[in-house]
């Protein structure tokens, strides 16, 4: 059983240990109050026709093996539990041409793995099966699936269904007609991580669900489009409030607890990318690579982390969708490293 353990109602950085940020963690009493409040809230709002994930399926103990010939990230060296190193610099790294080529290759593989995953998404398939097959795909292309053993994550990809915001652990629940599912894939190829995700429709999704998914994609695309050297990072969430404005226009909310992040030889590093209105300083510069990954909810922007310490669900059971790209800032604008 995956019971709730903590509530996140404000931002916490994914570059720092976001799961345990004191900023974001409130006590259990507050969670109970919030759930009571939200069940009242739920009665008054109709988020559409879908299965609410209250207790996720069972996570199978099956081991995911990676051949010894494949280069592993530092946190996944065989037989040892190495903590994820805290990134040394709080300044976004400017990548060399060689590093950029490395990022292009890992991001291309991540995209191809996601295209492969999309074919597996159908009524009746379990998220465990999707994970198992995508794992095989990634290792057969010479890469390591970055989530595996990252801060204790037990599987190779994240699969987040309906009211699960993100970091869902693949399990034995079979997809049902009308589900929406985010598949988030990160690969570590020749020393570089590439990170991408999309939310897919399973069979016939109701109109409210389809709108949520379309708007979330639009939020990401609009945010990517404004990226260029000299652009403040906070224009992604603020100024013309690209993402937040887009979400609100449709009556949806940005889930603030999850941020985009710098990426490279490390999975999560500077800068933190906030998807909501903020005044955090910093300008984009050519040579930076980072992700933009807005999670947008139909209802409450608060989320609860289940006892497995990963699965984030909305506090009111409304659905959430997420899309993610890894981008490179170029001299003239932006290159979407994880585009098709
Ligand atoms: N891929 C997620 C991101 O976009 C991170 C997943 S961490 C994991 O940042 F351990 F859950 F895999
Ligand atoms: Co991701
Ligand atoms: Co990411």
């Amino acid at each position: 059983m995956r019971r709730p353990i903590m509530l996140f109602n404000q931002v916490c950085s994914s570059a720092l240990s976001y799961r345990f940020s004191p900023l974001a963690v409130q006590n259990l009493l507050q969670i109970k109050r919030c759930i009571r409040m939200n069940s009242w809230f739920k009665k008054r709002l109709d988020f559409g026709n879908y299965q609410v994930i209250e207790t996720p399926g069972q996570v199978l103990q099956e081991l995911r093996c990676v051949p010894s010939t494949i280069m592993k990230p530092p946190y996944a060296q065989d037989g040892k539990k190495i903590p994820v190193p805290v990134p040394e610099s709080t300044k976004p790294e400017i990548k060399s041409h060689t590093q950029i080529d490395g990022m292009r290759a890992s991001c291309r593989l991540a995209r191809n793995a996601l295209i492969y995953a999309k074919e597996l998404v159908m009524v009746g398939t379990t998220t465990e099966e999707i994970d198992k097959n995508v794992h095989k795909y990634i290792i057969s292309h010479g890469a390591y699936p970055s989530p595996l053993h990252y801060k204790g994550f037990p599987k190779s990809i994240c699969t987040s269904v309906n009211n699960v915001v993100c970091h869902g652990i693949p399990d034995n629940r079979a997809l049902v007609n009308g589900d929406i599912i985010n598949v988030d894939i990160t690969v570590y190829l020749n020393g570089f991580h590439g990170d991408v995700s999309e939310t897919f429709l399973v069979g016939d999704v109701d109109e409210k669900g389809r709108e949520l998914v379309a708007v979330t994609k639009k939020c990401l695309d609009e945010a990517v489009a404004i990226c260029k050297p000299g652009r403040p990072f906070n224009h992604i969430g603020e100024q013309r409030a690209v993402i937040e404005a887009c979400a609100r226009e449709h009556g949806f909310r940005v889930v603030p607890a999850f941020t985009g992040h710098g990426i490279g030889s490390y999975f999560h590093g500077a800068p933190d990318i906030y998807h909501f209105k903020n005044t955090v300083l910093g300008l984009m510069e050519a040579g930076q690579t980072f992700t933009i990954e807005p999670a947008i909810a139909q209802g409450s922007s608060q989320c609860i982390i289940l006892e497995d310490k990963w699965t984030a669900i909305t506090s009111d059971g409304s659905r959430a969708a997420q899309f993610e790209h890894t981008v490179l800032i170029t001299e003239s604008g932006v290159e979407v490293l994880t585009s098709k």
Side-chain angles (χ1 to χ4, degrees), residues 14 184 186 195-196 259-261 263 267-268 291-293 324 326:
S14 65
D184 192 336
T186 314
D195 195 359
V196 66
T259 66
H261 49 91
I263 184 167
F267 195 166
H268 297 108
T291 73
I292 307 179
E293 46 183 300
E324 174 174 25
T326 300

Side-chain angles (χ1 to χ4, degrees), residues 309-325:
K309 299 195 177 73
W310 286 103
T311 312
I313 61 171
T314 57
S315 61
D316 61 359
S318 72
R319 281 172 288 187
Q322 188 179 28
F323 281 78
E324 174 174 25
H325 271 311

